[in-house]
Amino acid sequence: MKKLTILYLLLIVWCSAYSQSGSKLSGIVIAINSKPVQGATIRLLNTNYISISDKEGMFTFNKVLAGKYTLHISDIGFAAVNREVVITTLDQSLSIQLTDAKNQLDEVVVTADKREEEIQKVPYSVSALSARQVQDYKVWNLKDITAIVPNLYSANPGDGRNVTGIRGIVTTSYDPAVTTYIDGVSQFSLDTYIPQLFDVERVEVLRGPQGTLYGRNAMGGVINVITKQPANELSGFVEAGVGNFGQQRYSLGISGPVIKDKLFFGVAGLYNGFDGFYTNLFNNTKLDKQHYFLGNYFLKYLASQRLSFTLNVKTYANRNNGPFVLAGTQKDALAAPFKIDQNATTTMIDNIFNASLLANYTGRGFNFTSASTYQENYRYYITPIDGDFSSLDAVSVVNNYGPGFNKVKVGTQEFKFSSPASASNWKWTAGIFGFYRYSPTKIGTHFGNDAAAVGSPLTNFTSINTNIERNYGAAAYGQVVYTFNPQWEITAGLRYDYEHKKEEVKGEFQPDGGNASVTQDDTSSSASFHALTSKVSLAYHITDHDNLYAGYSRGFRAGGISQIGSDPSQPPLFAFKPEYSDNYELGSKNLFFNNRLRINLAVFYSLVNNAQVPTLILPDAITVTKNAGKLNSKGAEAEIAATLLKGLDIFYNFGYTHARYTDLQVPNNGAVVSLKGNHQVYTPDVTSMLALQYGYSLGGSTKLVGRGEWRYLGDQYFDLANQIEQKAYSTFNARLGVSTKRFEVFLWGSNLADKHYIDYAYDFGASHLGNPRTYGVTLRTQF
């Protein structure tokens, strides 16, 4: 830590001395009627330069190095635009005209390749939701982007740990297949990431393997969340909402300068709670009542226009009275919707603390970023939780063994170098990444008086499993983009990852009544894994608005160590290998009618080797993971956005996935069964989302807004044997309200037809329903 502090201090001194030259770039932002636009945000992409236009529409950047840059200008009520600018040794001034958002689509900027660039120029499939769209779609949790993003499906059993899949590459364990980044920081595992959303600038979803730049667990894609950053002007928001089922949601935030042009702060908080959807017939009470608080805190120091330091802390405290609200079977779940019968109820305590320190330097010859992070999750059930999902006194799960267990800690460090913002023909990125993870878990499975009903030969005892996991790893990566001719662009990247895992396991059998326990011998195992991932793509920019691309990319999910079971006669640990995906993709990205119509199309073909297949072993409640097969996935995607008529916005996103196992060998009662040809789990064959929104002007900036959404999900399966199936279904959502530049009030409704459907199930049958019909009202003001 001392060495890291010294490095930061040296960086401040060196960069401050090096950052005294450059030219002044100033300008004015105006509307179509030539009136100045106050409050517009102007960013010089891939630099630390950001400004807010004053009441005369003016902005200024000082000491900008010579070169070719891109300006991104955005404001509420206007379509965001990009403007290329060439900086020389002379000062210059610009005039930038914004168009009303009801007459033109936004020009979207993303950080898919770890640098800011226009989404239409990125040579692979990327979806992006702006802050406005996150509110319009009512995306409160990352699982809500299901079908909004083509071929993406996400759900959880009630505990908040989302199972996410893209194009048939699915998260099936605590090592995700789709990795999540929040504000440039990898959310290392399902333990330490926060899926709830608020105060968001945008959400990006990179579809297909992203192993070169993002490394481990990006074999299906990457979800990249960017929250709003503090700037040189004081700004903030307040939001309040209520709905049925006792829904309450309140959030507020404020950010701005402490010392103008030098030190900035940001504070935002969210409270969300509701009374629950499920009734427990065992005691006739609501089972899944819950609430959580989420905090986001920023402190940013601008040492110079080229060097900044950002300290960010995120906290999450969840109290969930029904973390696993599942009926025993799919049939039971649909026959008696939102009614279950469980004798063991509890409250789940789920606390997450994430902190990061980012240093960003933008220079004449290169840009540099250092990201130091710490993540911690402490999660436990106050009293035992039902493990048989019934009223039987059969199985319950215990994990409240004190703060020495079930508290996951992760530290990561990344150093990234990249070409300067002014680079033109050659753009490059290179870096190193390292991490350390410590995960001590202790879980007891209690077998009660009715344990024989679930196959246990013994009753009234607890099988306690203690697992201490330590793993660390390092990676080096590089990617180059070369533009030639000048319409052609080629991208090539390579990454090497190394990871070491060690697990120590102890088993214990503890009879009820205080009798002496029986302890198995401690067992430990370690394994090391290596992965080499690559990427290559070719893009042809036919015009500034029409682009074609073809590409190959590879991703991997980390290998690990798995238990076989609690039987002491069996070898307790073994290593399973990393899982790899190879993806081939063709696509086109097109803009028509002066940016009023956007059509992006893609087809893909993916191969998965060493597929990691988890199996829950009952009644031990132990998940066994093995490399059990190969998967073939292919499909097509379309994203269409249009503002062809004044005030009418149309969005349609479609995905088709054909994902089958070409080889799959799974254990079954001591034998091995071939499931070759079966469908992948958690993968609807079709995702479709149509959204229509119309804004009617009531004068000035006030408008009446109506919105309707139709979401369709095709057939999907939740178990490898393809016995638990959810047939295709549709849901409908709507919003109606009044909006001004600074205030809005909306009535909203989700799943208006109150469709009952399975959204999550375990392979032994326990099933969870998607949310029923919900409705409410939300008020929001911002300044």
Side-chain angles (χ1 to χ4, degrees), residues 21-39:
S21 61
S23 305
K24 182 172 77 171
L25 173 65
S26 60
I28 182 171
V29 182
I30 59 175
I32 289 292
N33 58 10
S34 297
K35 290 184 178 180
V37 176
Q38 180 182 4

Side-chain angles (χ1 to χ4, degrees), residues 2 56 73 96 99 113 122 189 198 207 260 278 325 351 358 397 406 592 601 604 618 695 722 751 760 772 780:
K2 290 182 178 179
E56 296 177 350
I73 307 95
I96 300 169
T99 302
D113 279 336
V122 177
S189 69
F198 85 114
R207 304 194 298 278
K260 202 169 182 66
Y278 282 80
V325 279
N351 296 325
L358 271 65
V397 178
N406 305 306
F592 304 97
L601 306 172
F604 65 89
L618 296 176
N722 289 179
N751 190 11
Y760 189 101
R780 180 183 177 90

Side-chain angles (χ1 to χ4, degrees), residues 557 574 576-579 608-615 624-631 661-667 672-676 720:
R557 176 159 47 173
F574 71 95
F576 56 89
K577 301 176 183 178
E579 178 180 352
V608 176
N609 291 300
N610 293 332
Q612 295 174 8
V613 176
T615 303
V624 176
T625 301
K626 293 184 178 181
N627 300 108
K630 299 178 180 180
L631 179 75
Y661 280 96
T662 57
D663 181 31
L664 183 59
Q665 308 293 323
V666 297
V672 175
V673 177
S674 174
L675 299 179
K676 178 180 178 180
L720 294 173

Side-chain angles (χ1 to χ4, degrees), residues 389-644:
F389 307 107
S390 73
S391 59
L392 294 174
D393 179 23
V395 179
S396 56
V397 178
V398 186
N399 75 343
N400 188 2
Y401 291 102
F405 294 98
N406 305 306
K407 180 182 283 188
V408 179
K409 300 177 181 180
V410 179
T412 73
Q413 176 64 52
E414 182 174 14
F415 296 111
K416 177 173 69 73
F417 294 85
S418 60
S419 53
S422 57
S424 53
N425 290 344
W426 286 95
K427 297 182 179 72
W428 54 268
T429 302
I432 55 175
F433 172 81
F435 72 89
Y436 177 79
R437 178 175 181 264
Y438 174 66
S439 177
T441 60
K442 187 173 184 178
I443 298 177
T445 305
H446 179 261
F447 298 88
N449 291 321
D450 301 321
V454 295
S456 173
L458 301 175
T459 58
N460 299 313
F461 78 99
T462 302
S463 172
I464 303 174
N465 187 70
T466 303
N467 187 321
I468 309 297
E469 181 181 340
R470 297 176 175 88
N471 58 305
Y472 58 84
Y477 61 86
Q479 181 169 294
V480 175
V481 181
Y482 175 58
T483 302
F484 58 98
N485 194 31
Q487 295 174 295
W488 292 90
E489 184 176 274
I490 187 168
T491 302
L494 192 66
R495 181 184 182 108
Y496 172 76
D497 282 83
Y498 168 80
E499 185 165 343
H500 179 82
K501 288 189 175 183
K502 181 179 180 180
E503 289 197 22
E504 301 171 8
V505 175
K506 180 174 71 174
E508 182 179 351
F509 294 91
Q510 188 177 74
D512 292 352
N515 296 322
S517 61
V518 178
T519 302
Q520 300 177 23
D521 292 336
D522 293 358
T523 303
S524 66
S525 180
S526 62
S528 296
F529 308 96
H530 307 262
L532 189 66
T533 53
S534 57
K535 174 181 181 178
V536 62
S537 66
L538 180 66
Y540 177 49
H541 306 302
I542 304 171
T543 68
D544 287 341
H545 304 295
D546 301 286
N547 302 278
L548 300 174
Y549 66 87
Y552 161 82
S553 59
R554 192 174 213 218
F556 81 99
R557 176 159 47 173
I561 299 171
S562 179
Q563 289 183 250
I564 288 181
S566 61
D567 185 349
S569 66
Q570 297 291 326
L573 298 171
F574 71 95
F576 56 89
K577 301 176 183 178
E579 178 180 352
Y580 291 94
S581 64
D582 294 276
N583 182 71
Y584 304 86
E585 182 174 332
L586 294 171
S588 70
K589 299 184 177 185
N590 307 276
L591 294 170
F592 304 97
F593 310 123
N594 195 27
N595 206 20
R596 288 172 173 264
L597 174 64
R598 180 172 59 240
I599 300 177
N600 294 344
L601 306 172
V603 293
F604 65 89
Y605 179 74
S606 300
L607 299 170
V608 176
N609 291 300
N610 293 332
Q612 295 174 8
V613 176
T615 303
L616 184 63
I617 304 299
L618 296 176
D620 300 327
I622 292 174
T623 299
V624 176
T625 301
K626 293 184 178 181
N627 300 108
K630 299 178 180 180
L631 179 75
N632 180 315
S633 180
K634 53 191 174 184
E637 297 160 345
E639 294 180 285
I640 301 172
T643 307
L644 299 178

Side-chain angles (χ1 to χ4, degrees), residues 30-32 77-81 97-104:
I30 59 175
I32 289 292
F78 294 95
V81 297
Q97 189 176 75
L98 297 182
T99 302
D100 195 299
K102 58 189 176 185
N103 295 324
Q104 186 174 297

